[in-house]
Amino acid sequence: MRPSWWLRLFAALGFVVLLAPGALVALISISAGDFLTFPPPGFSLRWYRALLSNGTLMSALGTSALLAAIVSVLALLLGGPAAYAIARLEFPGRGMLEAMLSAPLLLPTLVLGLGLLLVLQPLGLAATWPGLVLGHCLVAIPFAVRIMTTAFATVPKELEAAAWTLGATPLQAALRITLPNAAPGAVAAAVLTFLVSFDETVISLFLVGPRLTTLPVEMFRYAERTTDPLIAALAMSLIVFAVLMVALVERLLGLTRAMGK
Amino acid sequence: MTMAVAHLRLAGLVRHYAGSPSAAVDGISLDLPRGALLALLGPSGCGKTTTLRIIAGLEVPDSGTIQVAGRDVTTLPPHQRQMGVVFQSYALFPHMSASGNVAFGLEMRGISRAERARRAQAALEMVGLGALGARKPRQLSGGQQQRVALARALAIEPDLLLLDEPLSALDAKLREGVRDEIRALQQRLGTTTVFVTHDQTEALAMADLVAVMNAGRIEQLAAPEEIFERPATRFVATFVGRAARLRGQLESGGVLRCGGAALRSTTALPPGPAEAFLRPHRVRLLRPGQAPPPGYDNTLDAQLLRRVYTGEIVVLEADTAAGPLTAEMHADGEEGWHGLAPGDALRLAFRPADLAVFRAS
C-alpha cells in the first residue's frame, strides 16, 4: 500500500523537527560572527580554522580517538567469544551471563560513573588510561555482545557441523567458518563500540583529570565558558564523522544482505 | 582367514530429547556390509535424520554403540570420524569457492597446498564441475551446489558417506538424474553409504538395503524388492507403495472371510480378526464370468466406481463383496479396460500370495 498524502506530510514534519537543530548548528558553524547567534551575520570558515589551532580540543580529540579505538578492539576481543558462547554453546548459567552482560546498559551512567570513581580512586586508577578504558569498556562490551550474538546466531549451525565432519576441531570450525561469516556483524560492533566510547560523556566526567581528558568533556567545558561558534564547527565535524561511520556499516551490512541467500 | 565383518554396525541406539515423552531413536540395530547403500526410509519425525546424525557424531546417543570396520566410534567427536556428510541444506561455506569448499577437509588433514588443489579439482571433475571451481556457492545452481557438497564429502575419502535428504532441495526434473548419478558414483567408488529419505521411490531405486523406520524403530530391514513385495508389518505395507486394505476374520488354512467373500492367502497366522493389504498392480481385470489365469485363485465380482486414466497407467476403483478394491494396469496392456464406464460389471482376480495379512490392531 502506498502511504497516504497525510502520512507523508506527517513524516516530513517529523524529519524537519529531528533535523532542524543539526541544520541550525551547520549554519552557525560557518558563521563569520563572534557569538552563537542565529541568523549569523555572515559566512566564513574561520571557526573551522580556529578549531584546528585549538590545542586543548585537538589533544582531547586525539585522546578520545585513541581511547575509542582501544575500547573498540577490547570490546570485540572480550565480547566476541562471550557472544559466541551465548549464541552457540549450551551451558548452565547462559541466560544469567547474557543478562549480566547487558546490565550496564540498564544502569544510569551517572550511577556507573560515580561507582567507578569510588572504586578506581583508592586504586590510583582515576584519571588514568586504564581507568578510562575500563569505564568505557563497561558500556561498550554489552553493545559488542548484543551485535555479535545476533551475527553468530544468523550463521547456520549446519556450516559448523559440516566443518566438523570434514575434520575441523570445534575451534578451527569457529574461527575458519563461523567467524568469517559473522564478519559484517563484527565490523558493525567495532564501529558502534567506537562511537559509544567516542561520545561517552557522563562516565568520562568522573574519570578524567587535568592531564587526561576526552573530547566530549572538553566540549562540555568549552561550551560552559565561551559562546563563540567554534563549538558548532566541532559539532559539525563530529556529525559528519558519525554519518560516515554509519554509512560504512550500512554499506558493509547492506551489501552482504544483497549478496547473501 | 577373513571374516565377513559388517562395515557399519549399529547396536541398540537410543536417543531421547528432553521434554519429549517418546524416544526419537528407540533401539536401532543394524549391520551394513562394505560398499552397500542403506536407505533410512520413513515419514518425518520417525528418527531417520537423528539416526544419521548419531552415526556422524553430531548427536550423542543415550545408549548403544556405533562400529565402523570393527572399531567402536561411539565416543569419537565428529572431526575424528572420517565420515563424509552431505547435509539437506548442503551447508556449503559461503565465503569459500567451490574448490575451497572441497579442499577444506584436505586442509584439515594437513595435506599440502598443491596436493589439495589437485585432489579438489579431481573431486570436482568427478561430479562434472571441473570448470566451476572458482565460483562461490551463491553463483551455482541448486543442482551444482548439491554436487559440490557431494564432492566435498567424497574428497576426504570417507569410511562412510552420509546423505541427509540430498535430493529434497532439487526440483522434480533434476531429481531423478541426480539420484542415478549419485548411485553410479557410489557404486564406482565402493563407498559404504547411508542415505536418509522420505521418498520411497528414491529409497527403492538407489538402495541395496532399505530400513523402513517408524516412531524411532526399524519396522523392516531388507532389500528393496523384499520391502515392496513382502512387507513385514502393517506400517511397511501402507507406507511403501499403495495398497487397498481389507478387514475381516482369518479362519484356519489362511482363509480370510471378508464381507461376503472368502479369500485365500498364504499366511500362517492363527485364526482371529485380521486385515490384509493388496497392491493395485497385482489385481488382474477380467470380464464378468471369465475364468482367471492359473494361480489367480481369488476372484471377486465387482462394479466399477471410478476410472482414472493418466496416460501410461489406468486405475480402476471397484466395489466388491470384500470391500472397495483398486486395480492398476498399463494403459496399452492386454486387459480390456477400454470402454468400461462407472457402473459396469467386471471381475477382479489376484493370487493368494499377493495378500499381505496382519493381525488386526
Side-chain angles (χ1 to χ4, degrees):
Chain A
M1 196 182 78
R2 287 171 63 84
S4 74
W5 190 81
W6 279 106
L7 191 61
R8 283 157 187 252
L9 188 73
F10 192 67
L13 215 66
F15 274 117
V16 167
V17 170
L18 282 175
L19 296 177
L24 212 66
V25 170
L27 278 175
I28 294 174
S29 77
I30 48 172
S31 166
D34 286 336
F35 301 101
L36 279 169
T37 51
F38 191 84
F43 296 104
S44 87
L45 290 176
R46 60 180 281 214
W47 293 111
Y48 283 92
R49 282 194 292 273
L51 175 63
L52 288 175
S53 53
N54 185 313
T56 317
L57 284 176
M58 282 297 118
S59 113
L61 172 67
T63 305
S64 271
L66 183 60
L67 177 64
I70 295 172
V71 167
S72 170
V73 168
L74 278 179
L76 274 192
L77 287 180
L78 296 173
Y84 183 85
I86 290 168
R88 275 290 195 270
L89 310 179
E90 297 207 357
F91 53 93
R94 184 174 66 170
M96 176 79 117
L97 177 71
E98 201 175 356
M100 294 277 282
L101 280 171
S102 35
L105 294 182
L106 303 175
L107 282 178
T109 41
L110 205 63
V111 175
L112 275 180
L114 185 62
L116 276 165
L117 183 65
L118 291 177
V119 173
L120 296 180
Q121 183 70 39
L123 299 173
L125 287 173
T128 64
W129 277 96
L132 268 180
V133 167
L134 199 69
H136 282 204
C137 275
L138 203 58
V139 283
I141 288 175
F143 282 104
V145 171
R146 276 290 166 90
I147 298 174
M148 292 298 287
T149 304
T150 314
F152 283 132
T154 49
V155 179
K157 280 187 182 177
E158 295 270 87
L159 293 188
E160 252 175 59
W164 299 338
T165 65
L166 292 167
T169 63
L171 183 64
Q172 281 172 323
L175 293 178
R176 294 284 314 274
I177 304 301
T178 303
L179 191 58
N181 285 296
V187 172
V191 170
L192 196 76
T193 49
F194 185 94
L195 289 178
V196 163
S197 164
F198 196 72
D199 292 341
E200 169 51 48
T201 315
V202 180
I203 292 176
S204 299
L205 270 174
F206 286 93
L207 296 179
V208 295
R211 275 189 301 278
L212 184 66
T213 181
T214 66
L215 189 60
V217 172
E218 277 314 299
M219 278 177 78
F220 188 68
R221 289 183 180 156
Y222 190 92
E224 265 184 337
R225 286 195 308 266
T226 39
T227 51
D228 61 38
L230 182 116
I231 210 72
L234 179 54
M236 253 342 271
S237 311
L238 295 182
I239 288 173
V240 169
F241 175 67
V243 166
L244 283 178
M245 295 280 266
V246 171
L248 175 78
V249 173
E250 181 53 38
R251 182 155 174 78
L252 281 170
L253 296 184
L255 219 61
T256 14
R257 222 174 289 132
M259 291 189 310
K261 259 174 69 163
Chain B
M1 189 190 107
T2 57
M3 266 192 25
V5 179
H7 185 65
L8 172 68
R9 168 167 289 172
L10 307 181
L13 291 180
V14 174
R15 176 77 165 105
H16 282 268
Y17 287 116
S20 166
S22 56
V25 168
D26 195 6
I28 297 288
S29 302
L30 59 82
D31 280 3
L32 187 63
R34 178 177 290 278
L37 192 154
L38 166 75
L40 298 177
L41 171 67
S44 60
C46 73
K48 55 190 194 296
T49 294
T50 306
T51 304
L52 192 84
R53 292 177 66 87
I54 289 174
I55 300 173
L58 300 173
E59 301 251 357
V60 179
D62 300 338
S63 60
T65 59
I66 307 136
Q67 283 181 30
V68 178
R71 192 169 71 115
D72 190 318
V73 301
T74 315
T75 55
L76 280 189
H79 64 273
Q80 291 172 9
R81 285 203 186 187
Q82 188 66 13
M83 294 182 187
V85 183
V86 175
F87 291 83
Q88 188 169 7
S89 63
Y90 310 146
L92 294 179
F93 308 135
H95 59 302
M96 293 184 189
S97 66
S99 33
N101 267 277
V102 178
F104 184 80
L106 304 172
E107 188 186 340
M108 292 299 119
R109 282 162 179 73
I111 290 165
S112 74
R113 186 179 290 270
E115 175 69 4
R116 257 173 12 224
R118 194 189 63 74
R119 281 170 62 178
Q121 183 59 26
L124 283 172
E125 270 159 23
M126 185 172 67
V127 296
L129 290 178
L132 301 182
R135 295 225 187 142
K136 290 280 174 67
R138 64 172 176 276
Q139 298 168 317
L140 298 169
S141 71
Q144 290 167 337
Q145 289 181 20
Q146 206 263 359
R147 287 156 193 248
V148 173
L150 187 63
R152 182 176 73 175
L154 287 170
I156 61 170
E157 291 170 6
D159 288 339
L160 205 59
L161 177 64
L162 306 173
L163 309 166
D164 186 9
E165 302 261 7
L167 305 175
S168 64
L170 299 177
D171 56 70
K173 271 192 215 161
L174 271 176
R175 214 171 285 170
E176 214 168 298
V178 175
R179 180 189 82 192
D180 297 342
E181 275 173 40
I182 292 179
R183 175 57 164 163
L185 194 60
Q186 183 267 333
Q187 284 183 318
R188 189 153 61 78
L189 298 174
T191 312
T192 313
T193 301
V194 180
F195 172 92
V196 161
T197 183
H198 64 274
D199 184 314
Q200 45 158 311
T201 316
E202 264 170 44
L204 297 177
M206 289 178 73
D208 298 301
L209 274 174
V210 178
V212 181
M213 288 184 64
N214 181 37
R217 296 166 188 270
I218 293 179
E219 295 266 340
Q220 186 174 10
L221 174 66
E225 309 88 273
E226 180 84 10
I227 296 278
F228 194 82
E229 305 291 345
R230 283 177 289 282
T233 66
R234 290 193 343 209
F235 178 82
V236 177
T238 50
F239 185 75
V240 181
R242 284 163 302 123
R245 183 167 71 164
L246 302 167
R247 284 180 216 251
Q249 196 72 21
L250 192 63
E251 297 174 352
S252 59
V255 173
L256 182 70
R257 193 155 294 279
C258 188
L263 303 172
R264 284 207 245 166
S265 78
T266 54
T267 183
L269 285 177
E275 56 188 336
F277 296 90
L278 178 60
R279 301 242 182 257
H281 71 281
R282 292 301 176 76
V283 180
R284 293 285 294 265
L285 170 68
L286 306 173
R287 293 275 160 221
Q290 185 185 345
Y296 281 73
D297 293 340
N298 292 313
T299 56
L300 288 166
D301 289 319
Q303 191 181 30
L304 187 63
L305 296 172
R306 214 155 74 90
R307 190 184 93 177
V308 182
Y309 170 75
T310 61
E312 290 165 16
I313 300 278
V314 179
V315 179
L316 302 178
E317 289 172 24
D319 199 20
T320 73
L325 273 190
T326 309
E328 190 182 282
M329 61 213 68
H330 283 286
D332 53 2
E334 314 257 289
E335 294 168 288
W337 60 271
H338 291 277
L340 281 180
D344 286 356
L346 43 90
R347 201 162 194 225
L348 300 175
F350 52 92
R351 291 170 297 202
D354 293 334
L355 270 186
V357 184
F358 302 98
R359 201 185 301 279
S361 52

